Amino acid sequence: MERKSAAGSIRNTERSKKKFLDAVGKILRTKGYTALKVSSIAATAGVDKKMIYSYFGGFDGLIDEYIRLQDYWSKVTIEEVKKIKPKLDDGGKSFMEEMLLTQFDYVYTHREAQKLLLWRLSEPRKALKKLTDTQEENGEYIFKLLMDPHFKENAEEVRSVMAILVSGLYYLNMYAAINGSIFCGIDVNSSRGRDKIKKAISFILNHTYENL
């Protein structure tokens, strides 16, 4: 009986934690990051706000956990890269192409991810800085494992190309979601337009690998 009770308690805890995380996402998605308060999160979750401190150590811990779960590049952890064992004979081109194309669709379909990006541009916050640091750590591992050995003295030029690609894909999705879907004559919200962007990503990567 004690084991069942303990298991039930664990399940209840996990359900409550998920309610808090879902509440953060709902508020961020509908009202923006300025509306994220302990009281509003608890009310939206339907769980006593005291449990935020019990489960996450406080408001910042809850936001940290939410951010970690939402950001695409934070999910591409060093451990996952090791498990994938990307091909080394192409200098990481196929791996990076897949990552960029997946990121493009991920941000487009996740409203919370778009809001999170806007939040990062609008407010200095330890949790957001931690997210950036995690992204850089994971990115550095990928660069050193795949791209630096391939490009050698041109490694920094490749990093510059990747910076433009990643930030550009972020911006296109946010722009299409907030201010309209047409950018440089391409409808970013249409299947045809998104296919054009994806082909451009592949073109830029191929050109980079062929000419650097």
Side-chain angles (χ1 to χ4, degrees):
M1 293 297 293
E2 289 183 2
R3 290 182 179 177
K4 289 183 179 180
S5 177
S9 177
I10 291 172
R11 286 195 294 270
N12 288 336
T13 296
E14 292 304 313
R15 280 196 292 268
S16 295
K17 289 174 70 174
K18 186 177 186 303
K19 286 181 180 179
F20 280 127
L21 292 166
D22 289 345
V24 172
K26 182 177 181 179
I27 293 171
L28 187 62
R29 184 172 61 250
T30 59
K31 299 180 180 179
Y33 66 87
T34 56
L36 289 172
K37 310 292 182 185
V38 169
S39 56
S40 60
I41 293 171
T44 302
V47 182
D48 190 329
K49 65 181 181 181
K50 293 180 181 178
M51 302 313 293
I52 291 178
Y53 299 91
S54 297
Y55 296 149
F56 302 98
F59 175 78
D60 287 339
L62 170 59
I63 299 303
D64 281 355
E65 178 68 5
Y66 175 80
I67 289 173
R68 185 185 67 79
L69 292 173
Q70 287 300 317
D71 182 71
Y72 175 75
W73 287 104
S74 290
K75 295 180 179 182
V76 186
T77 63
I78 292 174
E79 288 71 23
E80 288 173 337
V81 173
K82 289 179 179 177
K83 290 178 183 178
I84 294 171
K85 293 182 179 179
K87 293 193 305 180
L88 297 176
D89 56 355
D90 70 350
K93 182 171 75 70
S94 58
F95 176 78
M96 291 310 305
E97 182 174 16
E98 181 182 354
M99 290 299 99
L100 288 167
L101 294 176
T102 304
Q103 176 234 316
F104 185 49
D105 286 336
Y106 177 85
V107 176
Y108 181 70
T109 56
H110 288 73
R111 182 73 172 174
E112 295 96 328
Q114 297 168 16
K115 293 290 187 177
L116 188 57
L117 286 167
L118 289 173
W119 191 7
R120 291 172 67 184
L121 294 174
S122 306
E123 179 184 65
R125 186 179 181 84
K126 288 182 179 179
L128 300 174
K129 177 62 167 60
K130 183 178 179 181
L131 169 61
T132 301
D133 291 342
T134 300
Q135 288 180 332
E136 283 299 308
E137 180 183 351
N138 293 345
E140 189 65 20
Y141 178 83
I142 294 172
F143 279 126
K144 288 184 176 179
L145 175 68
L146 301 176
M147 306 177 86
D148 288 358
H150 181 80
F151 289 98
K152 298 178 182 177
E153 68 274 7
N154 293 320
E156 287 192 353
E157 282 73 10
V158 175
R159 290 171 182 241
S160 299
V161 172
M162 292 302 301
I164 293 171
L165 283 174
V166 172
S167 60
L169 296 179
Y170 280 153
Y171 183 80
L172 282 174
N173 279 319
M174 290 189 292
Y175 180 89
I178 297 173
N179 283 324
S181 61
I182 308 299
F183 194 92
C184 290
I186 302 295
D187 185 350
V188 185
N189 281 332
S190 71
S191 296
R192 183 175 182 276
R194 296 187 68 78
D195 284 342
K196 290 289 186 182
I197 299 296
K198 290 179 179 180
K199 288 180 180 179
I201 295 170
S202 298
F203 173 80
I204 293 171
L205 274 179
N206 286 329
H207 185 76
T208 300
Y209 274 83
E210 289 172 2
N211 293 278
L212 281 180

